[in-house]
Amino acid sequence: MTVYAPKNQNLPLFEKHRAIVERAIEALHKREFYAQYPEMPSPQVYGETAEADQKQRFEAQLGKKFDRIKQSADSWLVADEQSPYTQQKLGISYPVYKEVSQYIAASQAAWTDWKRTDVQTRAGILVESLERMKQSFYEVAFSTMHTTGQAYMMSFQASGPHAADRALEAIALGYQEQTRFPSKLTWEKPAGKVNLKLEKFSTSVGKGLSLAIGCATFPIWNTVPGLYASLITGNPVIVKPHPKAIYPIAIVVALLQEVLVENGFSADVVILAPDAEPNLIAKKLAENPAIKIIDFTGSSSFGGYIEALPGKITFTEKAGVNSMIIDSVADLGAMAQNVAFSVSLYSGQMCTAPQNFYIPKTGIKAAGQHVSFEEVEKAIVDAVKGLVTHPKAGPAILGAIQSEATQQRVVDAKKIGGKVLLESQPIANAEFPNIRSASPMLIELPASAKETFEREMFGPIAFIIPTDDTQHSLQLASKSAHEHGAISCGAYTTDEATMEMIATVMADASTPVAFNLTGSTYVNQNAGFSDFHVTGGNPSGNASLTNPEFVLKRFTTVQAKVNV
Amino acid sequence: MTVYAPKNQNLPLFEKHRAIVERAIEALHKREFYAQYPEMPSPQVYGETAEADQKQRFEAQLGKKFDRIKQSADSWLVADEQSPYTQQKLGISYPVYKEVSQYIAASQAAWTDWKRTDVQTRAGILVESLERMKQSFYEVAFSTMHTTGQAYMMSFQASGPHAADRALEAIALGYQEQTRFPSKLTWEKPAGKVNLKLEKFSTSVGKGLSLAIGCATFPIWNTVPGLYASLITGNPVIVKPHPKAIYPIAIVVALLQEVLVENGFSADVVILAPDAEPNLIAKKLAENPAIKIIDFTGSSSFGGYIEALPGKITFTEKAGVNSMIIDSVADLGAMAQNVAFSVSLYSGQMCTAPQNFYIPKTGIKAAGQHVSFEEVEKAIVDAVKGLVTHPKAGPAILGAIQSEATQQRVVDAKKIGGKVLLESQPIANAEFPNIRSASPMLIELPASAKETFEREMFGPIAFIIPTDDTQHSLQLASKSAHEHGAISCGAYTTDEATMEMIATVMADASTPVAFNLTGSTYVNQNAGFSDFHVTGGNPSGNASLTNPEFVLKRFTTVQAKVNV
């Protein structure tokens, strides 16, 4: 007896990739450094001609139909994608359905076989798709760069190896949780002279149709965890990318569909459902009763709407207001260099970028010596200035500004009030003269200006806030994390008791703290296999990578027992 | 560095109980037969004079203040509890607060220390409370009997050892999930000549105040899983019992408070918040923004309200319509005896009791011979009649009817239509002449009467429905599980392919199936450590014991990292 006789079972494919899955499970449980996909764009790893070949593939795709998609569709949509580097439209069109109900019907039709196959077959197919994605990391990089505005290196890393590792985490955890309990056992209960005896069988059953709503800044990194988590647990997924960033995730969807079809499943197990202004379809999809699971990355207002939809299992990553608490430092310059990089990286368009710097107005200890507030502030401002005006490093770190709204926010920031410490300026990029760019604007605000600094100012805007003391800094950081959410928090202190106090109070607000980062480790970074990304415990989001809950909520375990 | 310096740490208490926790984790993962607390009321196990002593304690409690509670309170409430056996009021009063906001404030004040202690200390305290509960299993039994109407043996088992085992499951899973990842590690990432190196720390952080809303039929069994799951994960709990069944869970709360206070924690980590008509407080508590987690067992309408509350993590067990599919049997009499017991046990007031019997109108195969529909129906009716009129077994199996509403439902069932196969009747109980009792009513309904049999008829009412064939039976059972929920499903078939078809189609509706039960294993029973109770995948509830999600959703993991 089996509860589900596995459909299209392919155990050899699983065996081919078993070691990858098992190593990922091990790394996740040790939380050690691990990367299945090396993060550097190396010709040795990814192929001598890979970069050139894929650059060509990228260029050839511009202005054309994206015809690698195998799903069912009835028309083509010319997308609104535009490069922040050239400010030109990409002009790519994607296959779509005219009606949302058609996506739902296609997804539902594809569901049964996918749900009823075994987790090994699902894991084999999903890892295979990542192995193929590896051969598209450069195309992924170019498409990410020219939709999000990320610099080339970040585009490669975040959308390529880092995203693939995050997808692998979801496969690994999903596999582990679905094989955690025996799927077949004999249960015997002593009952006097004879034992009661039952054969018990169990299977995981996917909860239902899944919707993954992408964002414009990290179209792959923020989409694949939910996408792969839903797939490994037996749910079909409709991917609704951000209208401005479709191409990168379309590559991933096409690869998944290719492997699915090769294995006898419908391509519609994963459907790309792009849209464009004014006919946006995210809400229509989300509200459809057949959609049971929703993954969302984006604004707090839309995220709040998603979380409040009745009868849905939701995983959200919304906005946060991240703090940097400066209490005391071993090396003022090293701290300043590090935080300058953190506010500048991708022009502050990361959900983990610090926004509010809390510094005691009486100054801090640096290498045991007293340093005034003004000196600390100046060190940070100078470090940012030096970094962004560096002719090579500046453009490579800042990248471009993804949206006009973010650029407008920088312009508007001048009217916020406070003392402007550093003006934002466009950063020239030799390769892309038409780039939309803006260096970070630094503003000093009084601690009383809570209404201003407790809002997320997405983009290259940071505030320096003089406080009464570190207790006061911590109180402001904690309050804002509790009320408005926080995804990261940085702190500098040379005092062990202060470190513990900050860690404890921020933990109460479910916010992780990174202490005393210098050199090339930054508060923006959450490492695959080791760091939980977002905690799910404050208003910045209700989900956490890689909390096992992230896969568990997507399926249920159903038993059958037979009297023998 | 520690994120949380453990409050009131008591590692010796954990060491005292470590073996119990570890054995429970092992049993859960093997899903084997296991019971930490033996289910029979044995003097050898539970003490020679335990039953007599505790009967006396029970009798002495009637009409008095329940003064074992240590929580803060400002007044006494005379409860509405009434024995279904004597139809007399119990007359017990409980300490209460006049305002709901006072419970919230007390719970919040107790939270910080409980959240910030370590999981070992929490586990030690919680197991200790179960070990003490063991010494109150008889009082628990008498109080359960005289509030719920369960027969004595079921009262002992369900509220005593079975409930304690379910609580232990929550402790074990909660302990395991909170120790699953290392709380301290050194992370090293190769980066050219030098490695990047971070010390990483993590802790679990409870999500917030928890509310456990109890039901009138299983006041301990249905409350302790959520209660202990919230406690082990660092959340304080307000227990809001059903107004008619406070005493049993008050015993558990008092024991928990005793151990908490001995260990330096506030008794308010667990608060009993009873109420009485007309001043019901469940909604006021549930809607309070400070309440983050809600466990609920009860009606579908109230459960639906709980699930729809914005911003809450909810665990519900609501109503289900359970089916019995009869396709073919090895032994007609053995099947009839078994299902007769299942519909009669506690007069059908179990969430796992079968309601709808689907039998092909053309008859079935029994021991290879054709048997007509009428013969199968008669075998079931005769078996129920024989069982309920048995002078000893009848009262011991049926117990009493918990509420007047359930008794009225039986009276009203006569007006449903269909063919009454067996009238309900009061069953005389020698010990309790004033008992409120009703034997099962069996009604034949046509397959077209979906509107009648797709509703849950909580209590001793069952329907026999002639179908076209087993496919038709399965289709009706599946539809009703999908649309109205199901917690159990029974099936009888001697054909392997039919068995697999039933298991598969019911798994699609997230409903477990028990096949061919005869002898003393019943569809009503879900075994601790082995069976998932409710799947969370159909409308009968959104939670499942012992899906790891049941503990994981109650806390988040928060990290701190330090550059070294």
Side-chain angles (χ1 to χ4, degrees):
Chain A
M1 231 283 282
T2 48
V3 177
Y4 283 158
K7 286 278 171 176
N8 305 326
Q9 191 170 46
N10 187 346
L11 296 182
L13 185 61
F14 176 68
E15 288 308 325
K16 182 180 159 196
H17 297 310
R18 177 194 282 275
I20 294 176
V21 174
E22 290 181 350
R23 180 68 189 94
I25 293 171
E26 188 196 7
L28 261 173
H29 281 84
K30 290 189 178 164
R31 312 305 296 188
E32 66 192 349
F33 170 75
Y34 179 66
Q36 169 65 20
Y37 301 101
E39 67 181 357
M40 299 307 287
S42 140
Q44 287 77 46
V45 175
Y46 294 110
E48 287 298 332
T49 62
E51 184 170 5
D53 294 349
Q54 292 177 46
K55 189 172 188 193
Q56 208 174 355
R57 204 196 299 160
F58 163 75
E59 283 163 357
Q61 181 63 67
L62 300 178
K64 304 271 165 54
K65 285 184 176 176
F66 192 86
D67 55 11
R68 285 172 256 177
I69 293 281
K70 294 183 193 301
Q71 71 197 44
S72 45
D74 64 5
S75 47
W76 291 88
L77 173 88
V78 182
D80 271 346
E81 295 168 294
Q82 188 211 45
S83 169
Y85 284 94
T86 63
Q87 305 214 41
Q88 297 294 306
K89 293 265 184 192
L90 303 195
I92 304 173
S93 42
Y94 300 91
V96 292
Y97 268 130
K98 290 200 193 78
E99 298 294 331
V100 158
S101 60
Q102 293 172 288
Y103 289 116
I104 301 290
S107 188
Q108 246 160 349
W111 185 23
T112 306
D113 283 1
W114 186 247
K115 172 168 65 176
R116 290 188 186 170
T117 197
D118 53 312
V119 66
Q120 286 78 10
T121 298
R122 286 198 290 262
I125 288 170
L126 296 178
V127 175
E128 178 67 24
S129 76
L130 296 183
E131 291 293 298
R132 294 191 194 179
M133 182 182 163
K134 196 171 152 181
Q135 290 145 42
S136 290
F137 279 173
Y138 293 99
E139 187 189 9
V140 150
F142 289 114
S143 61
T144 297
M145 184 178 173
H146 288 284
T147 48
T148 68
Q150 289 176 26
Y152 180 62
M153 181 63 88
M154 182 187 268
S155 294
F156 183 90
Q157 294 186 335
S159 275
H162 289 174
D165 277 340
R166 283 286 182 195
L168 179 58
E169 286 178 334
I171 300 170
L173 260 184
Y175 176 80
Q176 208 244 353
E177 288 297 340
Q178 289 174 93
T179 53
R180 179 168 175 173
F181 304 112
S183 59
K184 190 179 169 188
L185 70 132
T186 303
W187 181 87
E188 279 193 79
K189 177 179 175 177
K193 279 172 222 149
V194 289
N195 285 359
L196 303 179
K197 204 168 161 183
L198 296 170
E199 299 282 349
K200 296 190 178 185
F201 305 84
S202 72
T203 190
S204 60
V205 178
K207 290 257 180 93
L209 271 53
S210 198
L211 171 65
I213 304 177
C215 67
T217 45
F218 288 90
I220 297 188
W221 197 97
N222 273 108
T223 299
V224 291
L227 169 60
Y228 279 78
S230 274
L231 289 173
I232 188 69
T233 52
N235 305 289
V237 183
I238 298 172
V239 177
K240 213 304 288 171
H242 191 280
K244 300 283 190 186
I246 302 166
Y247 183 8
I249 193 70
I251 298 170
V252 177
V253 170
L255 290 170
L256 275 165
Q257 291 180 344
E258 179 183 288
V259 189
L260 283 162
V261 169
E262 278 173 21
N263 281 275
F265 292 96
S266 165
D268 293 345
V269 168
V270 188
I271 301 179
L272 186 75
D275 59 0
E277 292 277 7
N279 300 311
L280 301 182
I281 62 171
K283 286 192 174 187
K284 277 185 211 158
L285 281 165
E287 289 169 15
N288 190 293
I291 296 287
K292 300 295 183 197
I293 302 169
I294 305 177
D295 286 270
F296 169 79
T297 311
S299 73
S300 289
S301 58
F302 203 90
Y305 153 81
I306 291 289
E307 289 174 7
L309 287 172
K312 314 281 180 182
I313 299 152
T314 66
F315 301 88
T316 66
E317 179 183 331
K318 301 176 292 181
V321 179
N322 303 321
S323 297
M324 186 66 77
I325 298 168
I326 300 176
D327 171 75
S328 48
V329 296
D331 179 334
L332 185 65
M335 177 277 286
Q337 285 300 325
N338 193 275
V339 302
F341 188 94
S342 282
V343 296
S344 304
L345 186 61
Y346 188 26
S347 306
Q349 297 168 102
M350 296 181 77
C351 58
T352 47
Q355 174 179 304
N356 295 334
F357 287 74
Y358 298 106
I359 305 170
K361 60 186 170 202
T362 53
I364 67 166
K365 282 242 156 111
Q369 303 298 309
H370 179 262
V371 181
S372 72
F373 170 82
E374 289 72 20
E375 285 170 285
V376 181
E377 189 174 70
K378 185 171 184 303
I380 295 171
V381 172
D382 287 350
V384 174
K385 205 186 297 178
L387 192 149
V388 302
T389 56
H390 188 285
K392 256 189 99 170
I397 292 164
L398 290 166
I401 300 293
Q402 189 272 323
S403 75
E404 284 162 22
T406 298
Q407 198 173 40
Q408 189 57 45
R409 199 175 300 116
V410 181
V411 174
D412 295 344
K414 285 194 188 172
K415 305 171 208 150
I416 279 174
K419 183 162 89 189
V420 174
L421 304 168
L422 186 64
E423 292 273 9
S424 175
Q425 59 182 87
I427 299 296
N429 187 307
E431 199 181 347
F432 300 104
N434 289 326
I435 187 171
R436 178 163 60 220
S437 74
S439 71
M441 171 166 230
L442 301 181
I443 301 173
E444 184 188 310
L445 284 177
S448 57
K450 286 195 190 70
E451 285 191 12
T452 304
F453 65 73
E454 283 185 354
R455 275 181 300 148
E456 186 195 41
M457 302 296 287
F458 188 76
I461 302 159
F463 301 119
I464 297 184
I465 299 145
T467 62
D468 296 341
D469 50 27
T470 294
Q471 288 267 9
H472 185 207
S473 300
L474 179 56
Q475 183 225 312
L476 291 169
S478 157
K479 176 177 175 291
S480 133
H482 272 292
E483 292 174 11
H484 307 283
I487 294 178
S488 75
C489 176
Y492 288 85
T493 180
T494 55
D495 179 66
E496 176 80 11
T498 304
M499 186 181 283
E500 198 148 317
M501 175 181 75
I502 294 171
T504 298
V505 172
M506 293 310 291
D508 281 350
S510 290
T511 306
V513 187
F515 288 98
N516 301 336
L517 299 188
T518 56
S520 45
T521 315
Y522 305 102
V523 71
N524 320 50
Q525 297 164 326
N526 275 333
F529 303 98
S530 183
D531 291 342
F532 293 87
H533 178 70
V534 192
T535 64
N538 68 47
S540 64
N542 72 5
S544 173
L545 314 179
T546 47
N547 189 321
E549 188 189 316
F550 193 70
V551 295
L552 276 163
K553 284 160 104 170
R554 300 171 199 260
F555 72 96
T556 185
T557 303
V558 181
Q559 294 170 308
K561 45 193 178 188
V562 184
N563 196 19
V564 285
Chain B
M1 231 283 282
T2 49
V3 178
Y4 282 159
K7 286 277 171 175
N8 305 324
Q9 191 171 46
N10 187 346
L11 296 182
L13 185 62
F14 176 68
E15 288 308 326
K16 182 179 159 196
H17 298 310
R18 177 194 282 274
I20 294 177
V21 174
E22 290 180 349
R23 181 69 189 93
I25 292 171
E26 188 196 8
L28 260 172
H29 281 83
K30 291 189 179 165
R31 312 305 295 190
E32 65 192 349
F33 171 76
Y34 178 66
Q36 168 66 18
Y37 301 101
E39 68 181 357
M40 299 307 288
S42 140
Q44 288 77 47
V45 175
Y46 294 109
E48 286 299 332
T49 62
E51 183 169 7
D53 294 349
Q54 292 177 46
K55 189 172 189 195
Q56 208 174 356
R57 205 197 298 160
F58 164 76
E59 283 164 356
Q61 181 63 67
L62 301 177
K64 304 270 166 55
K65 286 182 175 176
F66 191 86
D67 55 11
R68 284 172 257 176
I69 292 282
K70 292 183 196 303
Q71 71 197 47
S72 46
D74 63 5
S75 48
W76 291 86
L77 173 89
V78 182
D80 271 346
E81 294 168 295
Q82 187 210 46
S83 169
Y85 284 94
T86 64
Q87 305 214 41
Q88 298 293 306
K89 293 265 185 192
L90 304 194
I92 305 173
S93 43
Y94 300 91
V96 291
Y97 268 128
K98 289 198 193 80
E99 298 294 332
V100 157
S101 61
Q102 294 173 286
Y103 289 116
I104 301 290
S107 188
Q108 246 161 346
W111 185 23
T112 305
D113 283 1
W114 186 247
K115 173 169 62 176
R116 291 188 186 171
T117 197
D118 53 312
V119 66
Q120 287 78 8
T121 298
R122 286 198 289 262
I125 288 170
L126 296 178
V127 175
E128 177 68 22
S129 77
L130 295 183
E131 291 293 297
R132 293 191 193 178
M133 182 182 163
K134 196 171 153 182
Q135 290 145 43
S136 289
F137 279 173
Y138 292 99
E139 187 188 10
V140 151
F142 289 114
S143 61
T144 297
M145 184 178 173
H146 288 285
T147 48
T148 67
Q150 288 176 25
Y152 179 63
M153 181 63 90
M154 180 186 270
S155 295
F156 183 90
Q157 294 185 335
S159 275
H162 289 174
D165 277 340
R166 282 288 182 193
L168 178 58
E169 286 177 333
I171 300 170
L173 261 185
Y175 176 81
Q176 208 245 351
E177 287 298 339
Q178 288 175 91
T179 53
R180 179 170 175 173
F181 304 112
S183 59
K184 190 177 171 191
L185 70 132
T186 302
W187 181 87
E188 278 192 81
K189 177 178 174 176
K193 279 171 220 146
V194 289
N195 285 359
L196 303 179
K197 203 167 161 184
L198 296 170
E199 298 282 349
K200 296 190 179 185
F201 304 86
S202 72
T203 189
S204 60
V205 178
K207 290 257 181 93
L209 270 54
S210 197
L211 171 65
I213 303 177
C215 68
T217 45
F218 289 90
I220 297 187
W221 196 98
N222 273 108
T223 299
V224 291
L227 169 59
Y228 279 78
S230 274
L231 289 172
I232 188 69
T233 51
N235 305 290
V237 184
I238 298 172
V239 177
K240 213 303 289 172
H242 191 280
K244 300 284 191 186
I246 303 166
Y247 183 7
I249 193 69
I251 298 169
V252 177
V253 170
L255 290 170
L256 275 165
Q257 292 181 343
E258 181 182 287
V259 189
L260 283 163
V261 169
E262 280 173 20
N263 281 276
F265 292 95
S266 165
D268 293 343
V269 168
V270 188
I271 301 180
L272 186 75
D275 58 0
E277 293 277 7
N279 299 312
L280 302 181
I281 61 171
K283 286 192 174 189
K284 278 185 211 159
L285 281 165
E287 289 168 16
N288 190 293
I291 295 288
K292 301 294 183 198
I293 302 168
I294 306 177
D295 286 270
F296 170 79
T297 311
S299 72
S300 289
S301 58
F302 203 91
Y305 153 80
I306 292 289
E307 289 174 7
L309 287 172
K312 315 281 181 182
I313 298 151
T314 67
F315 301 88
T316 65
E317 179 183 331
K318 303 176 291 182
V321 179
N322 302 321
S323 297
M324 186 68 75
I325 298 167
I326 300 176
D327 170 77
S328 49
V329 297
D331 179 333
L332 185 64
M335 176 277 285
Q337 285 299 325
N338 192 276
V339 302
F341 188 94
S342 282
V343 296
S344 303
L345 186 62
Y346 187 26
S347 305
Q349 298 168 101
M350 295 180 78
C351 58
T352 47
Q355 173 179 305
N356 295 336
F357 288 73
Y358 299 106
I359 306 169
K361 60 188 171 202
T362 52
I364 67 167
K365 283 241 156 114
Q369 303 298 307
H370 179 262
V371 181
S372 72
F373 169 82
E374 290 72 20
E375 285 170 284
V376 181
E377 186 173 73
K378 186 172 184 304
I380 295 171
V381 172
D382 287 352
V384 173
K385 205 189 295 178
L387 192 150
V388 301
T389 56
H390 187 284
K392 255 189 103 171
I397 292 165
L398 291 165
I401 299 295
Q402 188 272 325
S403 76
E404 284 161 22
T406 298
Q407 200 172 40
Q408 189 58 45
R409 198 174 301 116
V410 181
V411 173
D412 294 345
K414 284 194 189 171
K415 303 168 210 153
I416 279 174
K419 181 160 92 187
V420 174
L421 303 167
L422 186 64
E423 292 272 10
S424 174
Q425 58 180 88
I427 299 296
N429 186 307
E431 200 183 347
F432 300 104
N434 289 327
I435 188 171
R436 178 163 61 221
S437 75
S439 71
M441 170 165 232
L442 301 181
I443 301 172
E444 186 188 311
L445 284 176
S448 57
K450 285 194 191 72
E451 285 193 11
T452 305
F453 64 74
E454 283 185 354
R455 276 181 299 148
E456 187 196 41
M457 304 294 287
F458 189 75
I461 302 159
F463 301 119
I464 297 184
I465 299 144
T467 63
D468 297 342
D469 50 26
T470 294
Q471 289 266 12
H472 186 208
S473 300
L474 179 56
Q475 184 226 313
L476 291 169
S478 157
K479 176 178 175 289
S480 133
H482 272 292
E483 293 173 10
H484 307 284
I487 295 178
S488 75
C489 176
Y492 288 85
T493 180
T494 56
D495 180 67
E496 177 81 9
T498 304
M499 185 180 285
E500 198 148 316
M501 175 181 75
I502 294 171
T504 298
V505 172
M506 293 310 291
D508 281 349
S510 290
T511 306
V513 186
F515 287 98
N516 302 335
L517 299 187
T518 56
S520 45
T521 315
Y522 305 102
V523 72
N524 321 50
Q525 298 164 326
N526 275 333
F529 303 97
S530 183
D531 291 342
F532 293 86
H533 178 69
V534 191
T535 65
N538 68 46
S540 65
N542 71 6
S544 173
L545 314 177
T546 46
N547 188 320
E549 188 189 316
F550 193 70
V551 296
L552 276 163
K553 284 160 104 170
R554 298 170 200 261
F555 73 95
T556 184
T557 302
V558 181
Q559 294 172 308
K561 46 192 178 190
V562 185
N563 195 19
V564 285

